[in-house]
Amino acid sequence: MHGLMESPDIEKQRHSQEQLASLRNNLNDVLIKDVTIGEMHAEYISVNRAHMKKYVILYCHGGGYSTGSCLYARSITEKLANSTSMDVMAFDYRLAPEHPYPAATEDAMRAWNHLMLLGYGARDVIVAGDSAGGNLALSLVLKLKEQGRLLPRGIVLMSPWTDLTSSGKSFEAKAEVDPVLDRDYIDRMVAAYAPDMDLKQPLISPLFGDFEGFPPVYIQVGENEILLSDSLRLHQALVDANVSVKMDTYKGMWHVFQMSPVKAAREAMDKNAEFIYDICR
């Protein structure tokens, strides 16, 4: 995985990710429907069986804000649709460095507004994301709160990137055991997404946001990732704000291990479904 991340050529990274994603076989019982929101591509992932249509999961893909897509995210979105029996909507937000902050947050708001126009209420939506998508999920909810709007029913975060200042202890403590990320890669992604900006702005680094009144949050993180502190510190910030929050740390796992065909990934997706079922009662 380091080989894929080490190239400073973002276009090459994007191409490699799309090639990897195209080699995957879609789950047989999953249907995918393309939609356009303004000029933004999005897709609905649904199970091809009777399923719950009252709720929808709005999914924000990862990729350091510079790579990633709906196609690349299918290794998670298909599993999420299958485990929850709910529709999942993913969207291709604009990527850095061509489109730095706040482009992604603006596009996430477009996706949210699209769901509202379809007739979903805020409480019918679960916002989810991995890595930079976890950052974007939190940024979206912080932006909704800032605007005085109703918030989603809950938030599901997988290895969220919450602190672009890279001040967590795990950046050093886990540097030798993380098989996916390293400090150089993170620094390049920060420079592309938020050049010459105050990295402590809550919509850039949600760790520094005001979480009072937030909906329930569930966090999953791998024990062996340099972003471990981003989850640990977020968990504590949510506890301090009296938010209902649960976090599971998976022993020996890496960044967004849920994408991988391993037992822990299947267990994690079942846990995501359990959390979602619980808050939707």
Side-chain angles (χ1 to χ4, degrees):
M1 288 302 297
H2 272 308
L4 180 61
M5 301 297 187
E6 282 170 358
S7 172
D9 187 333
I10 288 178
E11 279 301 326
K12 187 175 290 186
Q13 285 187 35
R14 291 172 183 168
H15 181 66
S16 296
Q17 285 187 354
E18 293 299 298
Q19 281 191 316
L20 282 173
S22 66
L23 294 174
R24 292 180 49 258
N25 292 321
N26 289 353
L27 294 177
N28 292 330
D29 59 348
V30 169
L31 301 176
I32 296 170
K33 177 185 176 183
D34 292 318
V35 295
T36 302
I37 304 171
E39 297 181 353
M40 181 173 68
H41 170 260
E43 65 181 30
Y44 285 92
I45 301 94
S46 306
V47 288
N48 189 21
R49 61 177 187 266
H51 62 283
M52 189 181 306
K53 295 187 178 181
K54 173 175 171 54
Y55 302 104
V56 65
I57 299 169
L58 177 60
Y59 195 81
C60 307
H61 72 74
Y65 278 120
S66 294
T67 66
S69 65
C70 292
L71 175 61
Y72 186 63
R74 285 181 192 169
S75 58
I76 287 184
T77 54
E78 289 180 358
K79 295 173 186 174
L80 201 52
N82 198 51
S83 64
T84 62
S85 291
M86 293 180 185
D87 290 345
V88 178
M89 191 188 87
F91 57 100
D92 286 330
Y93 55 84
R94 288 169 291 169
L95 299 174
E98 300 93 331
H99 304 283
Y101 171 84
T105 302
E106 291 171 349
D107 289 347
M109 187 63 76
R110 288 190 184 96
W112 176 270
N113 289 337
H114 169 77
L115 292 176
M116 299 302 103
L117 286 171
L118 289 180
Y120 289 104
R123 297 278 294 165
D124 301 328
V125 182
I126 296 92
V127 178
D130 69 275
S131 193
N135 179 304
L136 184 55
L138 290 166
S139 296
L140 169 62
V141 181
L142 285 168
K143 189 67 176 179
L144 290 169
K145 179 184 172 184
E146 178 185 290
Q147 294 181 354
R149 298 177 64 179
L150 295 176
L151 304 185
R153 181 169 287 269
I155 306 172
V156 174
L157 306 171
M158 288 163 270
S159 299
W161 186 27
T162 66
D163 176 17
L164 271 65
T165 72
S166 302
S167 58
K169 293 180 180 178
S170 58
F171 272 86
E172 300 297 332
K174 301 295 181 178
E176 298 301 317
V177 295
D178 190 326
V180 178
L181 300 179
D182 59 34
R183 185 62 177 264
D184 287 343
Y185 170 80
I186 295 293
D187 289 347
R188 291 199 307 273
M189 297 302 101
V190 171
Y193 179 62
D196 303 317
M197 296 182 190
D198 176 8
L199 298 180
K200 285 194 173 183
Q201 290 185 58
L203 297 184
I204 294 176
S205 294
L207 178 64
F208 304 107
D210 176 8
F211 299 114
E212 184 179 356
F214 251 47
V217 179
Y218 178 43
I219 306 166
Q220 293 179 342
V221 66
E223 178 190 45
N224 288 345
E225 55 177 297
I226 61 173
L227 294 186
L228 175 60
S229 292
D230 286 45
S231 289
L232 295 172
R233 295 164 71 201
L234 173 66
H235 179 266
Q236 187 58 55
L238 291 165
V239 169
D240 291 345
N242 294 315
V243 175
S244 174
V245 58
K246 178 183 178 183
M247 185 177 76
D248 284 324
T249 303
Y250 285 79
K251 187 175 182 179
M253 289 295 105
W254 48 88
H255 187 64
V256 198
F257 65 92
Q258 295 87 345
M259 284 188 165
S260 304
V262 296
K263 181 181 178 183
R266 294 188 292 272
E267 293 173 349
M269 297 312 293
D270 287 342
K271 286 275 194 176
N272 283 331
E274 287 175 15
F275 170 78
I276 291 171
Y277 291 155
D278 189 52
I279 64 173
C280 289
R281 286 177 182 170

